[in-house]
Amino acid sequence: MFADSAKVFIKSGKGGDGHVSFRRELFVAAGGPDGGDGGRGGDIIFEVDKGLNTLTDFRHMRKYVAGNGEEGGKQKCHGKDGEDLIIKVPEGTVIKEAESGKIIADMSGGNVREVILKGGRGGKGNSHYATATMQVPKYAQPGKPSKELWIILELKVIADVGLVGFPNVGKSTFLSRVTNAKPKIANYHFTTLNPNLGVVDLDDHNGFVIADIPGLIEGASEGVGLGHEFLKHIERTKLIIHMVDAAGVEGRNPIEDINTINAELEAYNTELLNKPQIIAANKMDAVYDEKESFLNDIRNEFEPKGIKVFPISAVSGSGVRELLYAVNDILKTMDDKPVVFEREYFPDEYLDNPEEPYTVTKDEDTEGLFYIEGPRIEKMLGYTNLEAEKGFMFFQKFMKDNGILDELEALGIKDGDTVRIYGHEFDYYK
């Protein structure tokens, strides 16, 4: 079966411990400390692989762990960094935190590489702790711990148009006619198991990607049948084509079918009903007298609501060209950027431990100089890339949410004053 979701465990590497050692040379009675720093733990990185189109591999392997950093050595030797673990996923994969369901990253729209969990920083060796009063430090900094997380991977196909309809209304036949896709076609009533994708090429070099969303049936949004497994694929589409059996070959009422499917879309995600819709009244080749079909009933029901109805025959091709150009005209009026889901969950933020201490102090000797220190602050800097815009925004949010800015103001900080945080200097502006 088509694999479009998986639950996996990921864990970054632990930072290597700093080393405690002292210089030992002939004729040097008391060499100073020369313990090296520990290596950085490996990151968990997700990358898009254009050659993949399912998440099948994740059904066989559910645990992914990056390498740990090595301990520092004598003579200030730096420990080896842990090996990063790069996990390949298909384009369109959405990474979610398993418990909350919040989005960590959407691997689409140009986002082809994302560091999901950063490895722990390596600890400093005892060579860093020598002072005038402590010339033989017998301690070193331990490496920062690894981070771990259960995540859900969901593959949401990237298509401009979603083709929906009850089983056996002719969606696969339509897709095989208008695209280069080769879906399995047969006269049976259980649903297609794969969301088939195809590219529609039009004469004027325009075109779009269309996805046959497997059979949505009543109760799909609640887990009935297989439909709920595929509702996620409609979320990226910009336009929805409802295909119905306008000839009534199956003895179904197409108006009821469309309303049922719209109810399932709304139950899954209310925003789906805001997408433009078109109705493809299929199987008109089986109608001898148009008055005996459901076509006029469908038009009377939906065209007053602004939903166009196109009579077509997927078998003969009648009316298909008009439908495709109408779809293309609507897509031209819409933003051509792919639908990308916003990030909702920042692993580093949620892995923060609010019980770890920190201090905010004012330099007694230098006017306008303030310090922020403590294990919690050092840990936060270890997993935050201040050079990146998102990282700096996270840093600012961390300072605000944890009351650090309020403490600075209580100490009398003014615009232009300097804040030092473990080797970083910032000018303060409110």
Side-chain angles (χ1 to χ4, degrees):
M1 182 178 171
F2 178 75
D4 59 1
S5 65
K7 182 178 181 180
V8 298
F9 174 81
I10 56 174
K11 182 178 181 180
S12 63
K14 176 189 177 298
D17 295 337
H19 189 67
V20 177
S21 62
F22 298 91
R23 184 178 164 207
R24 292 290 181 263
E25 291 183 31
L26 195 61
F27 309 120
V28 178
D34 70 350
D37 299 345
R40 175 189 62 84
D43 298 337
I44 295 288
I45 303 170
F46 280 77
E47 280 189 0
V48 169
D49 185 339
K50 300 277 188 179
L52 296 176
N53 54 22
T54 77
L55 298 174
T56 302
D57 291 347
F58 296 95
R59 293 194 169 182
H60 308 298
M61 184 174 177
R62 295 182 181 269
K63 186 175 181 180
Y64 296 84
V65 181
N68 293 329
E70 291 186 357
E71 182 184 353
K74 298 178 180 180
Q75 300 178 346
K76 298 184 180 180
C77 287
H78 194 288
K80 183 180 178 182
D81 290 342
E83 193 170 338
D84 294 337
L85 181 60
I86 298 175
I87 302 172
K88 304 284 189 178
V89 293
E91 186 175 18
T93 300
V94 177
I95 304 167
K96 296 181 177 181
E97 195 274 327
E99 187 173 344
S100 67
K102 291 183 177 180
I103 294 171
I104 301 173
D106 183 354
M107 307 303 292
S108 61
N111 184 26
V112 296
R113 191 176 193 273
E114 187 86 27
V115 178
I116 301 300
L117 290 182
K118 294 196 73 172
R121 282 198 306 172
K124 293 179 180 178
N126 70 332
S127 59
H128 290 274
Y129 297 103
T131 65
T133 56
M134 174 60 72
Q135 297 184 7
V136 284
K138 297 180 180 179
Y139 54 85
Q141 185 184 41
K144 299 302 177 185
S146 58
K147 305 179 186 71
E148 57 186 51
L149 202 62
W150 278 96
I151 59 171
I152 299 289
L153 303 178
E154 281 191 352
L155 177 57
K156 300 176 190 275
V157 299
I158 301 174
D160 302 302
V161 178
L163 181 63
V164 301
F166 273 63
N168 211 36
V169 295
K171 293 189 285 117
S172 296
T173 303
F174 175 78
L175 192 71
S176 65
R177 170 170 286 279
V178 302
T179 75
N180 56 358
K182 303 298 180 193
K184 293 181 180 178
I185 301 170
N187 186 29
Y188 41 53
H189 293 76
F190 53 88
T191 179
T192 306
L193 296 183
N194 295 359
N196 294 299
L197 281 175
V199 179
V200 176
D201 291 318
L202 301 178
D203 297 338
D204 49 3
H205 303 292
N206 289 313
F208 51 86
V209 179
I210 188 169
D212 168 16
I213 309 299
L216 298 181
I217 60 176
E218 191 166 8
S221 60
E222 300 171 0
V224 176
L226 289 170
H228 73 293
E229 296 287 343
F230 303 105
L231 278 161
K232 64 176 78 75
H233 296 299
I234 304 175
E235 291 184 279
R236 285 201 200 273
T237 60
K238 300 173 184 177
L239 180 148
I240 296 172
I241 297 176
H242 286 269
M243 182 161 287
V244 292
D245 173 10
V249 173
E250 296 291 314
R252 302 186 58 83
N253 185 314
I255 295 175
E256 292 179 3
D257 286 357
I258 294 169
N259 289 330
T260 297
I261 286 175
N262 275 337
E264 295 305 322
L265 297 180
E266 183 178 25
Y268 180 76
N269 183 343
T270 55
E271 294 182 8
L272 294 179
L273 286 191
N274 296 328
K275 296 179 185 290
Q277 298 188 9
I278 281 180
I279 295 172
N282 192 27
K283 301 193 179 182
M284 294 302 294
D285 57 292
V287 175
Y288 296 101
D289 185 349
E290 194 171 290
K291 293 180 181 178
E292 296 178 4
S293 72
F294 286 96
L295 181 60
N296 288 332
D297 293 338
I298 298 170
R299 281 175 168 160
N300 293 335
E301 177 71 21
F302 294 102
E303 288 194 341
K305 300 175 183 177
I307 301 175
K308 292 184 178 180
V309 179
F310 290 84
I312 70 164
S313 168
V315 173
S316 69
S318 173
V320 170
R321 179 182 175 87
E322 291 79 2
L323 170 65
L324 296 179
Y325 273 90
V327 169
N328 195 55
D329 288 342
I330 295 175
L331 291 174
K332 284 180 180 178
T333 67
M334 305 177 74
D335 189 347
D336 61 357
K337 292 182 179 178
V339 178
V340 178
F341 299 102
E342 291 292 325
R343 187 171 191 175
E344 303 169 328
Y345 187 98
F346 295 81
D348 294 332
E349 179 178 351
Y350 288 92
L351 293 170
D352 175 45
N353 181 3
E355 296 181 0
E356 289 186 314
Y358 66 85
T359 59
V360 181
T361 57
K362 182 178 181 179
D363 194 299
E364 298 297 331
D365 300 321
T366 306
E367 180 68 24
L369 178 60
F370 296 79
Y371 296 93
I372 303 174
E373 298 173 303
R376 189 175 179 202
I377 304 301
E378 191 173 14
K379 183 177 180 182
M380 181 272 295
L381 288 176
Y383 56 62
T384 305
N385 179 10
L386 296 178
E387 301 298 323
E389 182 180 358
K390 283 185 178 179
F392 194 74
M393 287 174 63
F394 167 71
F395 166 72
Q396 289 181 306
K397 186 175 184 296
F398 177 91
M399 302 286 278
K400 180 180 179 181
D401 291 350
N402 288 280
I404 295 173
L405 297 183
D406 293 336
E407 292 189 41
L408 287 170
E409 290 180 7
L411 290 172
I413 195 168
K414 301 186 297 292
D415 283 359
D417 285 352
T418 300
V419 179
R420 287 183 183 168
I421 312 175
Y422 290 103
H424 298 277
E425 272 198 8
F426 303 93
D427 292 331
Y428 176 85
Y429 291 98
K430 189 170 181 180

